Amino acid sequence: MTWESAAEWRQQVRGALVFTNGVFDLVHPGHIEVLDMARREGAALIVGINSDASVQRLKGPDRPVRNAAERAMVLAGLEAVDAVVVFGEDTPQALVECLQPDVIVKGGDYTPETIVGADVVAARGGRVVVVPLVPGQSTTSIIEKLRV
């Protein structure tokens, strides 16, 4: 979805809107766990993904492996995911401000204090949820294995 269509869609969500975000370059079991747990936190789950340029700034010139359209398509095809929006900034702060979710979810490599957008959600009386990491799952480690 575009930001505009996502904001319109958000107004029609009945119940808690859950938001999570990430690169989701090579979707692995750790991603699926976070997405499934996030979806259980509300009525609908919207996922923000970094644009290709944002991924390159954050992860380096060899990333992303998959472009934003491909990453969005994979995520949108998952049962847990109701909508996907691409953001070009290095953080999803502006997207969270636009969507005003009721719950924000991230994986266990974050704390509530380090989750970008948690302040927006908390200020509205929403919840911040941290999902424990699945051991041994990371896109970077998968890419490293493929290079060997």
Side-chain angles (χ1 to χ4, degrees):
M1 292 185 173
T2 65
W3 284 40
E4 182 178 290
S5 63
E8 290 174 13
W9 172 80
R10 191 273 179 268
Q11 297 305 314
Q12 300 184 18
V13 172
R14 299 292 172 240
L17 176 66
V18 183
F19 176 86
T20 193
N21 70 281
V23 173
F24 297 100
D25 205 357
L26 298 176
V27 176
H28 55 67
H31 290 133
I32 299 300
E33 182 71 14
V34 169
L35 294 169
D36 285 347
M37 297 296 285
R39 183 61 181 80
R40 293 181 193 143
E41 295 292 331
L45 172 62
I46 189 162
V47 179
I49 64 168
N50 296 75
S51 69
D52 296 343
S54 173
V55 174
Q56 287 179 344
R57 287 191 303 272
L58 296 169
K59 303 283 188 179
D62 292 338
R63 299 279 300 272
V65 174
R66 297 256 183 223
N67 68 43
E70 293 168 335
R71 292 181 283 125
M73 183 179 197
V74 168
L75 289 172
L78 298 175
E79 184 176 346
V81 177
D82 294 294
V84 180
V85 179
V86 177
F87 62 94
E89 301 78 14
D90 291 348
T91 76
Q93 183 74 30
L95 182 56
V96 172
E97 290 170 1
C98 173
L99 297 174
Q100 295 290 310
D102 303 295
V103 182
I104 192 163
V105 177
K106 287 294 282 181
D109 46 344
Y110 289 84
T111 65
E113 298 76 29
T114 62
I115 296 173
V116 173
D119 57 336
V120 174
V121 174
R124 297 182 62 242
R127 294 182 294 116
V128 178
V129 178
V130 177
V131 176
L133 288 179
V134 175
Q137 295 295 321
S138 89
T139 300
T140 300
S141 66
I142 292 169
I143 291 171
E144 289 303 314
K145 285 181 187 177
L146 292 172
R147 287 186 175 147
V148 174

